[in-house]
Amino acid sequence: MAASDKQNTLDYINQMFPTEASLSGVEPLMQKIHSEIRRVDAEILTAVRQQSNSGTKAREDLAAATSAVQELMNKIREIKTKAEQSETMVQEICRDIKKLDFAKKHITTTITALHRLTMLVSAVEQLQVMASKRHYKEAAAQLEAVNQLCSHFEAYRDIPKITELREKFKSIKQVLKSHVFSDFSSLGTGKETEESNLLQQLSDACLVVDALEPSVREELVKNFCNRELTSYQQIFEGAELAKLDKTERRYAWIKRRLRTNEEIWKIFPRSWHVDYLLCIQFCKLTRSQLVEILVSMKEKPDVATLLTALQRTLEFEEELAEKFGGGTRSKDAVDDNEETERSGNKSQTVSDIRKKYEKKLAAHDGSQHEEQDGQKDSSVPGAGFNFRGIISSCFEPHLSVYIELEEKTLMDSLEKEMLEETWEIEEGSQTNILSSSIKVFVIIRRSLKRCSALTRNQTLFNLFKAFQKVLKAYATKLFARLPKGGTGIVAAATGIEGQIKTSDKDERVICYIVNTAEYCHKTCGELADNVSKLIDTQFADRVDMSEVQDEFSAVITKSLITLVHGIETKFDSEMAAMTRVPWSTLESVGDQSDYVNGINLILTSSIPVLGSLLSPIYFQFFLDKLASTLGPRFYHNIFKCKQLSETGAQQMLLDTQAVKTILLEIPSLGKQTAGAASYSKFVSREMSKAEALLKVILSPIDSVADTYCALLPEGTLTEFQRLLELKGLKKADQQSILDDFNKRGSGISQPTIMAPSSAPNTSIAPVITNTAASPGAITSREDVLTRAAALGRGAATTGFKRFLALTEAAKDRKDGPFRKLFNG
């Protein structure tokens, strides 16, 4: 017994008899268990007996089933044998019947073939008689019958009699063909009026042609077209009419021919499309003749003549396309025509051309038709042949004179508009852009419509390049209108020399130029999109206005810089007045000085106007440039002053704080405060630098070096020496202080007075380079900052990383929001 079973048994006993008192029930339990064992033994014995009886019966059933299967197999073999005997009997009975059936089938086939052969011989003889007598109508029906009969003898081609009949039929068809071609040769010679039955005879002959091979019909139509065009070729290859100005007469000739012969040509079945095929041949022949004329011209063709010929050609192609299918005009083309006719265009082309110049935007996608036409099914109208461009495309290589005229017209119009430009905005205008820009684009759009009505291939692309030249010229003229000259930091950054002086009107004009350049930048992109949609796909990817847009971006940037420098120039007199103040003899600190009031007057008169005219993005750019200019300039202007007394330094500190306040209020003056946070932060840093310089001047002599290093860690020895001169120290007294300053080591070797460095911010060196040599440096530095704080408001609150490099006054800040817009 397994341990687990043993444990289970013990658990069961303990459960049944948990106490000694319960042991009294052991005897009854044992009797109950013995009784249960006896019952189970009896059931097992009964089951064993039943199983023994079932095995015997199963063996008997299996033997019976095996016997039945054997009997079934014997019966199947017997049935199979009888079936084979029956099949043999049926084959013997039907053998003779099958022979009779094949004999009947062969006799029937032979009788049918002989009957058809008789009919074929008779039909061929009758067809021969009809052909000789030119009975075309009967011959056409007989041809159909003989063709059907001949199809039944395809399997007997090797039989001599059949071969003889086929050859005879072939010769009859050749005779019919020669008779038909002979009769058709008289068509158009005047015989149709003399012989009343000739047209009917030729109409019947068409039935014969339809019954013959398709190649016969193609040959007949081709011969007819060539004969019709022989006179055309002779007329227009002569010296008198083989000219470009006679092109319209060519189309008049074919129209007249189609109109006068309409009744006669009704003899041709409609399914032949004779007029359609004649027009195709006419177009190909005309194209080859026009190419020869254009190539053989010794001089450039007259533009008016060339455009007249092209326009008439386009109209003729459109008429053919409408006549023979696929001739729907686009709604846009119709709308453009009506709009242009209303606009009263007055460019330098002939008036009769201009009336229809925008009649349609010809949608000739297959304008480059060469010999590929032969690969298309041109026998059915609308089956792939496109009349648009079949002739007109030959003008494409010779339209350079037209583009030259359009470019000259555009340039002349530009000059005229610039002469008439008042550089003022019309009263009530909401755009603040110059009227000349709108007129220039109107002229360009009209030119685009004219050209797209003529061609959408290389010529349109060449016109697009002319648009680029005109717009670049306009950008150049906008730039030329800007006030010239310039000095100072902006001049160093932009390369503009001389002094820019701007009046209030000049400032408005500059704002108009900025807005106009922005409008042109946007409209150039729209123009490129329109051209891309009109021009053929092979040129669409080359349509790009990015260079022109860069030109206008450059105009915007240069205009804003000029505007900044104009404001800077206005400060020249105030900066000079600042240096003329007797700072060394001031007795007391009073209100802000007069030059501060002058600065305030300049800004309050200019900024509101600029804020109302410039868009937020360009006003923010203007603020960034202005901040990078005025802050450093005010700082450097302090060094230009003469000696400062303590009272003078305090007065200048008061003025500096006043100027700072004025500069911080510029966004509010312009009523554009959206991006003022970065501007205010920069102004505060730059003006705090000037405040720090004045606090150094106010510091005691014994701590001036410590104060300078703490408040102006990026300062130089040259600046420090000039600062000592402002304090009024003599050369002899300066030396010891300079020696002490040199021992501290400023870490900056580049002088910055009036010569801003081009080094980036990362060039600023650490403030203290040798802390080990000065154990008390930190303590003394804190003392210096404490003393400096007492000299004025906010003395040392900017920390040690509070200033940008002075070079940012002469270039865009790298983290500015407009860097991508104004790279030009």
Side-chain angles (χ1 to χ4, degrees), residues 394-414:
C394 74
F395 289 88
E396 192 73 32
H398 306 278
L399 288 175
S400 58
V401 290
Y402 163 65
I403 297 302
E404 292 171 3
L405 175 61
E406 284 286 2
E407 183 175 341
K408 182 179 182 301
T409 303
L410 290 171
M411 285 296 187
D412 291 345
S413 300
L414 175 61

Side-chain angles (χ1 to χ4, degrees), residues 755-773:
S757 169
S758 60
N761 292 348
T762 54
S763 65
I764 300 178
V767 177
I768 300 176
T769 59
N770 188 8
T771 57

Side-chain angles (χ1 to χ4, degrees), residues 50 119 256 347 362 388-389 471 583 592 623 702 733 776 821:
Q50 290 178 353
M119 292 173 63
R256 185 169 57 253
S347 89
R388 295 185 179 92
L471 291 172
W583 301 107
Q592 61 190 31
L623 291 185
D702 57 346
D733 298 332
L821 289 176

